[in-house]
Amino acid sequence: MPQRHSKNNNDLAFFTYDEKRKLGYGTQKERLGKDSIKPFDACSLCLKPFIDPMSCQKGHLFCKQCILECLLSQKKDIQRRVVAHAAQQKQEKEEEEERLMLEKAKELDAFDQQNHGALPQYSDRNYSRDKNGFHGANSVKATSYEEEALRTMKAFWLPSATPEASVKVEAPSTSTVCPEGNEKLKLKTLFPVQFTEDTSEHKKSNALDRTYICPSCKVTLTNTMSLVALSSCGHVFCKKCADRFVAVDKVCLVCNKACKERHMVNLEKGGTGFAGHGDNLEARDFKHLGSGSGLGLVRPAMKT
């Protein structure tokens, strides 16, 4: 029985639909698994189980050492940019002053040549004169200007005379930002987070595998649950208990410390720079065929 001709006709000058599918052409979709999602008890910087966790007002969790090193490096980078910006402003000011001095010197020289030159000025329009108004022996000065301009002229076709594009340093922002949410972040806005660890006998945990529970309903916290932390004391509750008890009683259920609604911070869960977390756990890549090779280049698909 002969085979299907459409899937074996490979002598065409273009790719068929079946060949494009075999090469992976188009948008590739893949459901993200558990390994692609950051656990709720992992640092957003080192992606390891957090040590001395701290949270910002947007609910991003970091290790204390990681976030302090990040803020310190940002401050050093800001200082470096401020110094570079100040040096550039100083250089621009000096160049502007030098340009004004040269223009003033040229005007004085032209005035001197016009009033004290060897030859008088003529008002005859038919008399040959150059663009600077000099003629006769006085035109030697204009010629020297032109020679100087030709000598310092930049030529893109000569490697030695190629002009250099000046890099303009913009005025840097003096505020540090959150590495996860890119909003302004200060050290004093961070607050420590205290998770309640499960200490029951059948849940003996080690340093690498710890289990945390809600101190109110004793439910094991997982990456699928919405968590709320109190910035006043740092204790973490599940979303249901926080809305049902903490928001109503205005007090922490663990330490009995008074709190307000603004102290309730929703913790961000899951997601890294490579995978998002939410209802749509799907990664997409668009692959288009390049010239010469069948695979071509791979670029991320546009977000919808």
Side-chain angles (χ1 to χ4, degrees), residues 191-195 229-236:
F191 63 92
V193 179
Q194 301 180 18
F195 283 88
L230 300 180
S231 60
S232 57
C233 59
H235 291 103
V236 179

Side-chain angles (χ1 to χ4, degrees), residues 54-278:
M54 300 190 73
S55 174
C56 64
Q57 298 298 326
K58 297 295 183 179
H60 301 114
L61 290 175
F62 309 96
C63 297
K64 184 176 182 179
Q65 182 178 359
C66 294
I67 189 61
L68 292 181
E69 290 179 355
C70 179
L71 294 179
L72 181 61
S73 62
Q74 288 186 31
K75 289 184 178 180
K76 290 182 178 179
D77 187 60
I78 290 173
Q79 292 178 357
R80 179 185 59 82
R81 293 184 180 182
V82 168
V83 171
H85 182 65
Q88 176 179 313
Q89 286 186 331
K90 182 179 179 181
Q91 182 180 0
E92 291 179 353
K93 185 178 180 180
E94 293 178 353
E95 291 178 355
E96 182 67 18
E97 292 178 354
E98 184 179 359
R99 186 182 64 82
L100 293 176
M101 290 178 61
L102 288 176
E103 290 181 356
K104 187 175 182 180
K106 287 183 180 180
E107 291 177 358
L108 292 175
D109 202 359
F111 179 80
D112 185 67
Q113 288 289 339
Q114 185 177 4
N115 293 275
H116 305 286
L119 296 177
Q121 294 285 342
Y122 295 95
S123 60
D124 186 8
R125 296 184 179 180
N126 297 327
Y127 190 82
S128 61
R129 60 170 56 186
D130 54 5
K131 59 183 180 179
N132 292 326
F134 303 133
H135 57 83
N138 296 332
S139 63
V140 177
K141 190 65 178 178
T143 305
S144 64
Y145 287 154
E146 293 177 358
E147 290 179 354
E148 181 69 17
L150 290 174
R151 188 176 64 84
T152 59
M153 182 182 65
K154 300 296 183 180
F156 66 90
W157 58 87
L158 297 177
S160 60
T162 303
E164 296 181 358
S166 59
V167 180
K168 187 173 181 60
V169 181
E170 301 294 338
S173 175
T174 58
S175 59
T176 55
V177 297
C178 177
E180 188 71 12
N182 294 328
E183 68 270 1
K184 292 184 179 181
L185 179 64
K186 295 183 180 180
L187 183 61
K188 63 181 181 180
T189 59
L190 295 171
F191 63 92
V193 179
Q194 301 180 18
F195 283 88
T196 304
E197 189 174 353
D198 190 0
T199 56
S200 59
E201 295 181 357
H202 64 281
K203 287 288 185 180
K204 292 183 179 180
S205 60
N206 51 33
L208 298 178
D209 185 17
R210 295 181 178 179
T211 303
Y212 301 101
I213 60 174
C214 175
S216 177
C217 59
K218 306 300 180 182
V219 175
T220 303
L221 303 181
T222 62
N223 210 38
T224 59
M225 299 177 61
S226 298
L227 306 179
V228 175
L230 300 180
S231 60
S232 57
C233 59
H235 291 103
V236 179
F237 302 89
C238 63
K239 182 69 173 177
K240 293 182 179 179
C241 294
D243 294 339
R244 185 178 300 177
F245 304 112
V246 180
V248 176
D249 298 337
K250 306 294 183 180
V251 66
C252 178
L253 301 179
V254 179
C255 60
N256 293 327
K257 187 175 181 178
C259 62
K260 298 181 180 180
E261 188 176 357
R262 59 184 176 88
H263 293 149
M264 300 175 62
V265 178
N266 295 322
L267 297 181
E268 294 290 335
K269 53 181 181 178
T272 61
F274 306 96
H277 185 85

